[in-house]
Amino acid sequence: MDISPLKNLLLKGDPEFWAQLKALTKSARDFEELFLLSSLRKKAHARKLAPLKTAPEKLRLAILGGYSLYPLHELIEHLCELAGLPVELWQGDYDNYNSEIMDDDSELYAFAPHVVFMLPAERRCTYTGHLTDARERQQAEAQRVVDGVLELARKVNEKTRAEIITTNFMLPARHDLGAFRSRTLGSDWSFRKWVNLELGLNAPSFLHICDWEFLANRLGGLAARDERAWFESKQPCSSALLVELAREVTQLIFSLKRAPKKVLVLDLDNTLWGGVVADDGLEGIELGDTSPRGEAFKAFQKYIVSLKQRGVLLAVCSKNDFAKAAEIEIVRQFAPEVTTLLLGPDPSNYVAQLADCRLFEPRSITSEDAERTNQYRSDAQRKTLEASVTDMASYLESLQMESVISEFTPVDVPRLAQLINKSNQFNLTTRRRSEAEVLAVMNNENFVGYSVRLKDRFGDHGLISIVIGEKVGDTMRIDTWLMSCRVLKRQVEEEVLNELARLAKLKDCQSLLGTFLPTPKNEMVRDFYARMGFTLTTESETKREFALKLDTFQSIPTKIKITHRAYEPS
């Protein structure tokens, strides 16, 4: 890597330094290169070079564990800032993470982190008994390790409401025990595999696994370790794996704040199959099991279908033009919010390119995600019906709508956080919340939080609205009100307000206070509160506030049958 041009930009104080630094950071895989880039970043700050455009507030990140955390924390800090999420770091002491977590007065809790990254010590994930011990005894010991990590995570979350990221455990890469390693749970190989599996399957919604086992396997078991680095400075792994670990943690932190891509738009000829249908005819295209290239295209199609099954919408944009790379450049220039991928000439690499782009990685997969395509088909049927009726009342009546309004429940937390973090248009405040913060709302008696599900004779819309209210004195402040745009003008808004007023009255509130915080994407709800009968009380460039007196509010009649209301027995 030639960094001379980057150094020259720094010496000249040229803001182009940041763009070049970002590009070099993205491509750097060598530890020495990445560490050098981090040092140049710090020099740029020291020289007060015009800063990189990032999030307005730093994310407080605590790192603790059973290893030396330097220079890992340097890499994470660098990668987070270059990803647009600058962090304020707190480091625990070497191998003091149990005390730092269990001591209620520790510096960790004074720091009040938003995210905690924990690296449990590998040497504590080993079976200390005999290889010939009963499987039940070995399994119980493995479960003890799992429970220990989960308890530490629970304790931190309970005290800070932070999102927790923990590594699992690397597997050994030496021939010790030979084939017998897989015949006993007492071997480090089997023991750690079991612990890793149970840790992932039992992780609560606020706990995210940084899959060290996978990262080491991807790099190579022997290349992942450096015994000398451990004995000399208590480093957790080789410098090569340290880079990948830092990148993975950054990806996880980034995913806590940004939703994955939702739509995959594909070309057809020479993308989904080999050849051009218009020129070669159906019999001339390559697809199927008759040739290696045909098999590769078939495998690519199967992978695309797997994306659909986890909620990614599929679309086609094709002109049957060989100049598609010029078209991708046009998209990059005129629609920069759209991420583009130019697949290479070899279809055997297509699945790898798409799988490694990391654009569609879900934090969770819900039943609504799997049904998303069917929901869009149902929407088309509703539009056909709407065009055939003579008035809106008749249309709404004919939909036979039913709704369930439920208080927040633990099982819904992943979906609730997903909607809160990706909804932009019908979102009055666009306040984002992590899964841990949603759980905090559930456990605070001053808050009400409920979700709305809607179905009709064409299908189930799933979870389509979320409201969070906070009781302050005799007022219920509407902290969050968001809805899916797919159900607008179906009278869902009215039923959401009916429910909010009902719950506010149950908490002895006299009024509702609604706030509109404008963003580039939520202009459609600028006057929403006024349309719902609220009175504008204050207005500025950054905020509009509305009030609704509850003593004169009457429930609004709708065509929706409510089958359950929040905080009522089932």
Side-chain angles (χ1 to χ4, degrees):
M1 177 187 292
D2 182 8
I3 63 168
S4 299
L6 186 65
K7 287 183 175 179
N8 291 334
L9 290 172
L10 178 59
L11 291 173
K12 292 189 295 185
D14 191 334
E16 177 62 20
F17 166 86
W18 293 110
Q20 293 298 319
L21 179 65
K22 190 173 183 178
L24 289 173
T25 296
K26 185 177 181 180
S27 62
R29 283 296 181 272
D30 181 79
F31 170 81
E32 285 75 17
E33 292 176 347
L34 192 59
F35 194 75
L36 177 57
L37 293 174
S38 178
S39 68
L40 291 177
R41 173 185 56 86
K42 289 191 286 188
K43 288 181 179 179
H45 285 309
R47 290 172 175 264
K48 298 187 177 356
L49 184 62
L52 183 70
K53 185 177 180 181
T54 60
E57 296 182 2
K58 286 189 175 182
L59 180 143
R60 292 194 299 277
L61 172 66
I63 306 177
L64 65 167
Y67 308 93
S68 173
L69 302 174
Y70 177 87
L72 175 62
H73 79 282
E74 290 265 3
L75 303 185
I76 294 173
E77 181 181 38
H78 177 74
L79 291 169
C80 282
E81 181 174 340
L82 271 293
L85 287 172
V87 296
E88 178 184 350
L89 278 174
W90 179 87
Q91 278 181 260
D93 294 329
Y94 162 70
D95 202 26
N96 196 37
Y97 62 104
N98 278 286
S99 297
E100 289 160 344
I101 290 173
M102 300 312 293
D103 180 3
D104 290 342
D105 298 320
S106 73
E107 292 180 6
L108 169 65
Y109 298 125
F111 178 66
H114 298 125
V115 177
V116 175
F117 176 38
M118 186 169 63
L119 298 90
E122 178 186 273
R123 61 191 175 282
R124 296 197 179 97
C125 185
T126 187
Y127 184 63
T128 57
H130 297 291
L131 294 175
T132 56
D133 285 343
R135 176 180 170 180
E136 291 75 16
R137 181 176 177 181
Q138 296 169 337
Q139 193 169 321
E141 181 69 12
Q143 191 61 49
R144 185 192 62 78
V145 175
V146 173
D147 292 343
V149 175
L150 294 178
E151 174 59 22
L152 290 174
R154 185 204 60 77
K155 172 74 172 179
V156 177
N157 175 259
E158 184 180 77
K159 289 284 292 182
T160 66
R161 293 305 175 193
E163 298 285 332
I164 315 299
I165 300 172
T166 185
T167 57
N168 54 16
F169 300 95
M170 286 191 290
L171 305 183
R174 297 296 176 184
H175 283 297
D176 187 42
L177 289 179
F180 188 73
R181 76 176 71 87
S182 61
R183 297 182 64 85
T184 173
L185 197 57
S187 70
D188 284 348
W189 173 266
S190 297
F191 191 82
R192 289 176 188 160
K193 284 207 299 185
W194 184 280
V195 167
N196 289 346
L197 182 62
E198 288 296 307
L199 186 59
L201 293 177
N202 291 283
S205 59
F206 59 78
L207 179 61
H208 313 277
I209 306 298
C210 180
D211 198 343
W212 216 348
E213 177 188 351
F214 169 80
L215 294 175
N217 178 69
R218 182 178 168 90
L219 181 66
L222 295 177
R225 293 186 175 274
D226 188 337
E227 280 77 12
R228 175 178 291 179
W230 164 252
F231 290 119
E232 290 183 349
S233 58
K234 297 300 179 280
Q235 291 299 303
C237 57
S238 69
S239 59
L241 183 57
L242 205 66
V243 171
E244 298 307 313
L245 179 62
R247 288 192 179 278
E248 185 68 14
V249 174
T250 303
Q251 172 73 18
L252 286 169
I253 294 172
F254 190 83
S255 72
L256 295 175
K257 298 296 181 181
R258 308 283 173 87
K261 296 292 185 180
K262 296 182 285 188
V263 181
L264 174 62
V265 183
L266 295 149
D267 198 355
L268 296 175
D269 293 331
N270 289 309
T271 299
L272 290 182
W273 51 74
V276 179
V277 172
D279 295 338
D280 304 321
L282 289 176
E283 69 281 358
I285 65 172
E286 293 179 285
L287 180 66
D289 302 322
T290 58
S291 70
R293 280 176 57 83
E295 286 189 49
F297 283 113
K298 181 179 178 181
F300 185 51
Q301 290 194 11
K302 285 184 175 181
Y303 181 75
I304 291 168
V305 170
S306 74
L307 292 179
K308 171 182 173 292
Q309 291 170 346
R310 65 193 200 207
V312 177
L313 296 174
L314 305 180
V316 167
C317 181
S318 179
K319 290 171 61 179
N320 292 332
D321 191 336
F322 283 110
K324 55 184 177 295
E327 290 175 5
I328 281 182
E329 186 57 33
I330 290 172
V331 173
R332 284 175 178 163
Q333 291 185 27
F334 293 98
E337 69 275 13
V338 177
T339 303
T340 56
L341 291 174
L342 178 59
L343 299 175
D346 185 354
S348 66
N349 291 325
Y350 287 4
V351 171
Q353 284 183 262
L354 201 53
D356 275 350
C357 73
R358 311 209 71 168
L359 298 174
F360 300 103
E361 292 183 7
R363 285 179 57 190
S364 59
I365 299 177
T366 66
S367 57
E368 284 90 350
D369 294 327
E371 290 296 318
R372 187 163 293 138
T373 299
N374 291 334
Q375 289 174 354
Y376 276 79
R377 290 197 183 106
S378 297
D379 284 343
Q381 294 175 307
R382 294 181 187 99
K383 291 183 185 298
T384 300
L385 174 63
E386 184 178 4
S388 68
V389 297
T390 56
D391 63 90
M392 182 57 71
S394 299
Y395 167 64
L396 294 175
E397 187 80 46
S398 67
L399 284 177
Q400 302 171 20
M401 294 180 288
E402 292 186 4
S403 179
V404 174
I405 304 177
S406 303
E407 67 274 17
F408 288 177
T409 61
V411 71
D412 278 336
V413 165
R415 178 61 173 161
L416 294 170
Q418 188 184 72
L419 278 178
I420 289 171
N421 288 312
K422 76 177 184 180
S423 298
N424 294 306
Q425 291 181 290
F426 195 114
N427 195 331
L428 276 301
T429 56
T430 321
R431 292 192 176 107
R432 307 306 193 188
R433 274 193 168 84
S434 66
E435 293 182 13
E437 290 168 329
V438 174
L439 285 169
V441 167
M442 291 172 50
N443 296 321
N444 190 325
E445 64 180 11
N446 290 325
F447 282 87
V448 296
Y450 61 91
S451 62
V452 181
R453 294 178 181 273
L454 182 71
K455 66 179 181 179
D456 58 32
R457 67 188 180 95
F458 291 110
D460 193 340
H461 289 279
L463 198 158
I464 46 85
S465 184
I466 294 173
V467 174
I468 297 173
E470 181 184 11
K471 177 179 168 60
V472 181
D474 64 355
T475 298
M476 178 68 73
R477 295 179 181 269
I478 305 172
D479 172 279
T480 297
W481 187 341
L482 61 88
M483 282 180 46
S484 168
C485 293
R486 292 184 291 112
V487 297
L488 292 181
K489 299 181 180 179
R490 308 275 174 86
Q491 299 184 326
V492 177
E493 304 97 311
E494 287 80 0
E495 285 295 354
V496 170
L497 178 57
N498 290 343
E499 185 71 0
L500 185 57
R502 183 184 74 85
L503 293 175
K505 289 178 180 179
L506 288 176
K507 285 190 173 289
D508 298 321
C509 292
Q510 303 299 312
S511 62
L512 295 175
L513 175 64
T515 302
F516 169 71
L517 301 179
T519 72
K521 294 184 178 181
N522 72 349
E523 180 65 22
M524 68 177 295
V525 291
R526 177 180 178 81
D527 299 314
F528 172 73
Y529 281 122
R531 295 196 299 270
M532 299 300 292
F534 287 66
T535 300
L536 179 66
T537 56
T538 61
E539 182 172 18
S540 68
E541 290 185 2
T542 59
K543 181 169 66 174
R544 305 182 86 203
E545 288 190 340
F546 300 81
L548 179 69
K549 296 293 186 182
L550 291 173
D551 57 352
T552 58
F553 176 79
Q554 297 293 320
S555 183
I556 306 169
T558 73
K559 301 293 185 182
I560 302 174
K561 178 182 178 182
I562 307 299
T563 60
H564 177 77
R565 292 194 176 276
Y567 302 98
E568 289 186 345
S570 299

